[in-house]
Every structure is written in C-alpha cells, then in structure tokens.
C-alpha cells in the first residue's frame, strides 16, 4: 500500500480507504494507494501553513533552498530509471517518452533551484526624503492539482518555482497516476527538506481537489487539466479570492503552407499528434494544409501513421502505447464514430490493433476532408486522432486556425520567413512553433490564450505566480 505524504511522513488515509492504480497496457493493478479525504487535506494544509509561516523553511535563506533543490534533482537523476519504469507502467507512454518527461522534470528542478537566489525585488528611484524598495515574498501555501498525461513533469512545473520562492505545497496528483509524485516525496525526504514543505494527497478531484480549492489555509491554486474543471475551480476559488493559474485544454492548429519542406512537415505533423498517444494539451490535432499540396502531405502522413509500432510501452521498439484508461479509450472511439458520422473520411486507423488482446490501445487515426464545424475539429479528443482540413490562402488559414475557443499552441511550416513571422503574430495562441512542433524549453514560458487558461508556467514568468510584491517606503525626511 502506498501511503499519503503529509508533514514529512508517509501516513495512512484518515478514512482507511484505498484505490487501485492500473497499468493501461495490461489492465492490471500495479499498486494500491491510500485515498485521502477532507481530513487529510486539513492535516496537509496545516502542516504546509506551519512550514511557511513559522517553521525552519520560513527562516531559510534562498541559497539553502537552492541547495536542497539541487540535491533533490541529483537524487532524482540517480533514480531516473526507476522513475521511468514507474511512469511507463502507470501511463502507457513509451520508455523514451517517459525518459524525456522525467529528464525534463529534473531540468525544471535545477532551473528553478538556480532562480531561488536570483528572483529579487528592486530599489526604485526616489528623492532624498524617501527610500523605496520592493520585496518578493512567497504567496504561502500552494495547492498543485495536476492531470495524468505528464504526471510528474506537470507537477514539477508548479512545485519547482513554488519551492524556489519559499512556498509550501500540497500536491494532488490525478487519481489515475499518483505513483511518481509519491516516489518524488521519498526524494524530498532524502534531500532533507523540512517537514510540511511538500505534501502529496492522492484522491478524487470532487473531494480532495475541491477541499483544497476551498480551504482557507490555501493561498494559491495552480491547476492543469480540463477546461471544464478549470471553470469549476475558478468558481470555487472565488469566495476565498485565491490566486489561481490555469493550464487547460487545446485544439491546436498545425499549418502547412505549400512552400514548406513537406518531408519535415509530414514528420512534424505525426509527432504533433501521436507523441504521447495524443495525450498532450498542445497536440497538433488540427492539421491545416494548403490545398495545392494536400494530397501529397496526406499521403506522407498516412503512410507513416500506418507504420507506427503500437504495443507494449516497455518494449524498446514500441512507438505508441495505450491510452490512459478505459474511459478515455471509449471517449476516443466515440469521437472516431462522430467523425465518420459527420462525413469525414477515415484515411488511417479508426480501430483497435487486432494483435493486442489486452490494454486500452487504439490505432493512430487520421481523418481527411474535415470541416471546422465538425465535432472532431472543434473538441479536444486527447487521443491519437488527427483531423486534416485544407485552406486556400494565408487569410483562410488564419481564419480556420483561430476558429476555436482554445488558444494553447499552434505551428506554421513554410520556407518564407516573412510569412512565418506574420502568421506567428496573427495566431491567437500562447505558443507558436515555426517549422517544428512539441518542443519545450524550461526557460520559455508556456500557457494559454482564450479558454486554454491564464498564467504562464516555466521561465522567469512562473516565479510571479508564486510570489507577491511588497512595497516598502522608508521615510528619510
Ligand atoms: P481533469 O480536469 O479531469 O483533472 C485534472 C485534475 O483535477 C485531476 O487531479 C483531478 O482529480 C482534479 N479535479 C477534477 N475535478 C476537480 C474539482 N472539482 N476540483 C479540484 N480538482 C479537481 O483533467 P484530466 O482528464 O486529468 O487531464 C486532461 C486534461 O488536461 C485535458 O483537457 C488537457 O488538455 C489538459 N491539460 C492541459 C495542459 C496545459 O498545460 N494546458 C497540460 C496537460 C493537460
């Protein structure tokens, strides 16, 4: 039984309840995890409050915080293979996808460890009668609530800047994927962080998540997940006027002009939608292709998609594993039916691999002849389903690209530098890739326009989510 991690201790759940965590490739249980409830949230928030208000953590200098974070990064790196096995068994992502996720998590920890001693207030110009300066102070107790697609990486996007700036964190991982967060809690202990600084309370969103969002001891909620959940969190956080940042869904356009390197664009389009089985918030799920090269590009994409090795994610030759759960599989299959029903043409996939009798597998799926009004062009599927639309000219491409409530990411493929820049500016999206897709840098902010959320994670900007500015006026008259 994996226990909760509260106030520096692994502990049983107050209600004595537990839930099973499955391997989506085998449909078998790989762990029993203690299920937190509101009483455990209470314990965790109190511990975190104490850490941030009066404990050792509160009086620690930035260099010492930095040292602990670097140590945690080193310890995690030493156990990286264990983390990789755990993440792959729990999420169905391939070993290489887990390696990328977890190596990035270590990098995020190191990047913000460096910021701990550099994020500073400023001295403002003033006359001889005053001395004006600002202090950057921690927000306090942060609730970090995350989804199942990049379990530890998306937690680290929140935990690392929050630690660097002196906050305490109560982390609620997605119930489907709590294992790497609990393993990271062991790293936190081994690195020597004071008690209460980091807590993990796995359990359902409706109880544990909701209790965190409304708890008066929580100062900030950092959330990644579905847009509808984001709306609910915003409503519940309103009474306590909590600070919130929301990283939500997407339906990102990937635009290929006729003058692009079509070989690179074809490979990029596959990576954009099939990486991590399409369970990527920024997935390039709408491929917009200029009419004159549509047949050629569709041919390239379809040919490669058909060859994708779908299977056991622990096998080194596998390129795509199962989707995360039975519910998600059914959701993906129902979108495929909707696409067929609305008249889109199925170019590849649309079914489940015949050679796999167990696991939530679905073949890479490509629809052509998709129109913007179709469900598969409007709604986030969060699975390996690509919708291909065509456009006539740049204006048509822009209109179609921006015709969505989302605005998380977008890409443009062209050899024309001016066109690339013009399109990048016209796209209503938080991230725009030019002649590439799905690349992330720890220094480059990430977040959404429109209903893909607000607040920027990563980079220097994320530090602002976890600090507040105190202005100090010293009278010298
Ligand atoms: P989800 O919204 O169902 O759950 C996310 C987390 O919120 C889970 O931990 C869940 O238990 C919790 N939760 C659910 N209801 C809650 C409530 N009422 N109060 C508090 N917490 C609650 O999302 P999911 O299905 O786990 O993840 C998939 C979604 O995440 C997709 O829509 C995807 O686009 C989005 N996502 C966005 C980004 C981004 O950076 N923008 C990154 C990854 C995933």
């Amino acid at each position: 039984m994996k226990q909760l991690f509260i106030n520096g201790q692994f502990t049983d759940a107050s209600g004595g309840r537990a839930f099973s965590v499955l391997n989506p490739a085998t449909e078998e249980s790989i762990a029993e995890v203690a299920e937190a409830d509101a009483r455990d949230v209470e314990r965790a928030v109190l511990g975190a409050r104490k850490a941030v208000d009066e404990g050792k953590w509160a009086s620690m200098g930035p260099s010492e915080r930095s040292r602990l974070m670097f140590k945690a990064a080193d310890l995690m790196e030493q156990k990286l293979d264990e983390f990789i096995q755990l993440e792959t068994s729990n999420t169905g992502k391939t070993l290489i996808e887990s390696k990328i996720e977890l190596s990035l998590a270590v990098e995020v920890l190191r990047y913000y460890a460096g910021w701990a001693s550099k994020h500073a207030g400023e001295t403002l110009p003033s006359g001889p009668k005053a001395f004006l300066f600002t202090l950057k102070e921690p927000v306090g107790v942060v609730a970090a609530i995350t989804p199942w697609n990049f379990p530890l990486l998306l937690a680290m996007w929140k935990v690392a800047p929050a630690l660097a700036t002196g906050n305490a964190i109560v982390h609620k991982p997605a119930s489907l994927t709590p294992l790497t967060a609990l393993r990271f809690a062991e790293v936190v202990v081994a690195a020597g962080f004071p008690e209460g600084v980091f807590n993990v309370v796995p359990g359902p969103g409706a109880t544990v998540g909701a209790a965190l969002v409304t708890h008066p001891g929580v100062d900030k909620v950092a959330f990644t997940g579905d847009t509808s959940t984001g709306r609910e969190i915003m409503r519940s956080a309103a009474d306590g006027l909590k600070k919130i940042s929301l990283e939500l869904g997407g339906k990102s356009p990937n635009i290929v002009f006729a003058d692009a390197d079509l070989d690179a664009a074809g490979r990029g389009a596959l990576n954009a939608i099939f990486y991590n089985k399409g369970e990527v918030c920024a997935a390039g799920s709408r491929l917009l292709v200029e009419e004159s090269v549509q047949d050629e590009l569709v041919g390239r994409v379809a040919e490669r998609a058909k060859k994708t090795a779908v299977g056991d994610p622990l096998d080194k030759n596998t390129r795509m594993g199962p989707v995360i759960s039975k519910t998600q599989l059914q959701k993906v299959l129902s979108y495929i039916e909707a696409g067929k029903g609305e008249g889109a043409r199925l170019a590849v996939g649309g079914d489940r691999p015949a050679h796999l009798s167990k696991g939530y597998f679905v073949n890479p799926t490509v629809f052509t002849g998709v129109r913007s009004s179709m469900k598969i062009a409007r709604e986030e599927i969060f699975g390996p389903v690509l919708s291909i639309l065509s456009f006539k000219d740049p204006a048509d491409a822009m209109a179609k690209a921006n015709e969505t409530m989302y605005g998380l990411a977008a890409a443009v493929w062209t050899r024309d530098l001016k066109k690339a820049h013009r399109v990048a500016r016209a796209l209503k999206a938080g991230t725009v890739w030019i002649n590439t897709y799905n690349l992330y840098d720890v220094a480059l902010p990430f977040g959404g326009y429109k209903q893909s959320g607000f607040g920027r994670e990563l980079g220097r900007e994320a530090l602002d989510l976890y600090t507040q500015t105190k202005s100090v006026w010293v009278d010298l008259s």
Side-chain angles (χ1 to χ4, degrees):
M1 163 83 73
K2 302 274 172 205
Q3 293 173 300
L4 315 177
F5 182 64
I6 295 177
N7 214 12
Q9 306 282 333
F10 284 95
T11 156
D12 289 332
S14 298
R17 290 167 65 102
F19 59 99
S20 293
V21 172
L22 303 186
N23 176 340
T26 62
E27 305 178 32
E28 279 161 14
S29 171
I30 48 170
E32 290 294 302
V33 175
E35 181 180 313
D37 65 18
R39 288 167 290 179
D40 302 306
V41 167
E42 184 67 27
R43 287 198 285 150
V45 174
L46 284 182
R49 266 274 53 102
K50 207 165 164 205
V52 91
D53 290 338
E54 57 193 74
K56 236 164 109 185
W57 184 241
S59 56
M60 205 177 261
S63 309
E64 215 176 333
R65 285 203 302 273
S66 175
R67 194 179 51 75
L68 290 176
M69 290 177 72
F70 277 121
K71 181 139 186 230
D74 290 346
L75 292 173
M76 190 177 152
E77 198 167 50
Q78 283 161 23
K79 301 283 178 195
L80 203 66
D81 282 342
E82 204 185 305
F83 276 94
I84 290 169
Q85 292 284 328
L86 210 51
E87 203 77 305
T88 285
S89 311
N90 193 183
T91 62
K93 61 180 74 193
T94 61
L95 288 170
I96 186 79
E97 286 166 344
S98 288
K99 187 171 182 189
I100 292 170
E101 180 198 331
L102 296 159
S103 308
L104 273 172
V106 172
E107 204 179 319
V108 171
L109 202 48
R110 290 212 173 103
Y111 173 80
Y112 285 106
W115 267 117
S117 54
K118 294 165 195 72
H119 189 48
E122 52 184 353
T123 304
L124 289 314
S126 57
K129 295 188 177 160
F131 173 45
L132 310 178
F133 67 96
T134 60
L135 293 170
K136 292 287 180 192
E137 296 189 342
V139 166
V141 173
V142 174
I145 304 177
T146 51
W148 39 257
N149 56 337
F150 293 93
L152 194 55
L153 180 61
L154 293 178
M156 208 60 87
W157 283 17
K158 298 159 182 58
V159 170
L163 288 175
T165 45
N167 297 275
I169 297 121
V170 182
H171 172 39
K172 194 207 89 60
S175 302
L176 291 170
T177 56
L179 300 183
T180 43
L182 289 168
R183 182 68 187 83
F184 181 68
E186 292 175 34
V187 167
V188 164
V189 174
F193 279 87
E195 60 186 29
V197 171
F198 177 71
N199 306 269
V200 188
V201 284
T207 51
V208 178
L212 275 170
V213 174
T214 51
H215 197 294
V218 169
D219 302 290
K220 184 202 154 62
V221 179
F223 172 77
T224 298
D226 199 69
T227 294
S228 59
T229 317
R231 281 194 202 102
E232 205 174 319
I233 285 181
M234 199 165 166
R235 276 187 219 109
S236 333
D239 278 344
L241 272 179
K242 293 190 197 316
K243 294 168 178 46
I244 53 176
S245 46
L246 303 174
E247 300 278 3
L248 308 174
K251 191 75 193 175
S252 300
N254 184 16
I255 307 165
V256 181
F257 285 99
D259 60 8
D261 173 344
L262 292 185
D263 186 50
R267 279 184 279 114
L270 289 160
N271 169 48
I273 185 62
F274 298 129
Y275 187 69
N276 207 52
K277 343 125 200 186
E279 292 170 350
V280 179
C281 48
S285 49
R286 288 187 298 144
L287 180 61
L288 273 53
V289 189
E290 192 159 358
E291 273 173 3
S292 58
V293 292
Q294 199 192 357
D295 290 348
E296 186 180 348
L297 193 74
V298 169
R300 285 172 192 266
V301 168
E303 190 193 337
R304 285 216 176 92
K306 266 186 219 145
K307 289 187 189 149
T308 308
V310 180
D312 177 4
L314 288 165
D315 180 335
K316 284 200 176 75
N317 297 318
T318 295
R319 288 293 161 266
M320 201 175 92
V323 300
I324 188 74
S325 65
K326 194 169 182 180
T327 310
Q328 192 62 20
L329 173 67
Q330 281 158 353
K331 184 178 157 195
V332 172
L333 293 174
S334 79
Y335 272 110
I336 292 172
E337 285 312 306
K340 289 196 270 185
E342 285 187 296
R345 283 188 303 280
L346 196 55
V348 180
D351 52 358
R352 304 190 57 199
H355 68 288
L356 297 162
S357 57
K358 279 241 163 145
Y360 309 124
F361 293 95
V362 57
N363 280 320
T365 297
V366 178
F367 278 108
T368 59
V370 178
R371 289 189 308 279
S372 292
S373 58
M374 291 179 183
K375 217 171 154 187
I376 55 167
R378 283 185 287 114
E379 296 180 17
E380 182 178 48
I381 300 174
F382 223 58
V385 181
L386 178 64
S387 296
I388 306 186
L389 297 85
S390 63
F391 66 84
K392 287 191 189 63
D393 52 35
D396 188 29
M398 279 310 93
K400 285 183 170 138
N402 288 331
E403 198 176 11
T404 167
M405 71 170 192
Y406 295 113
L408 194 58
V412 50
W413 299 79
T414 174
R415 287 192 172 98
D416 178 339
L417 193 63
K418 283 188 190 172
K419 194 196 286 176
H421 279 276
R422 278 199 298 267
V423 169
R425 288 184 187 204
L427 284 163
K428 304 263 183 289
T431 291
V432 178
W433 286 289
I434 297 176
N435 293 330
T436 188
Y437 208 100
N438 257 342
L439 292 182
Y440 303 86
D441 191 291
V442 64
L444 195 64
F446 182 83
Y449 276 32
K450 300 199 272 184
Q451 294 194 34
S452 290
F454 50 80
R456 291 291 175 271
E457 298 197 292
L458 298 181
R460 180 189 214 143
E461 285 201 34
L463 299 165
D464 295 334
L465 300 177
Y466 300 97
T467 46
Q468 45 198 347
T469 304
K470 180 176 281 172
S471 300
V472 185
W473 182 308
V474 187
D475 182 21
L476 301 179
S477 63

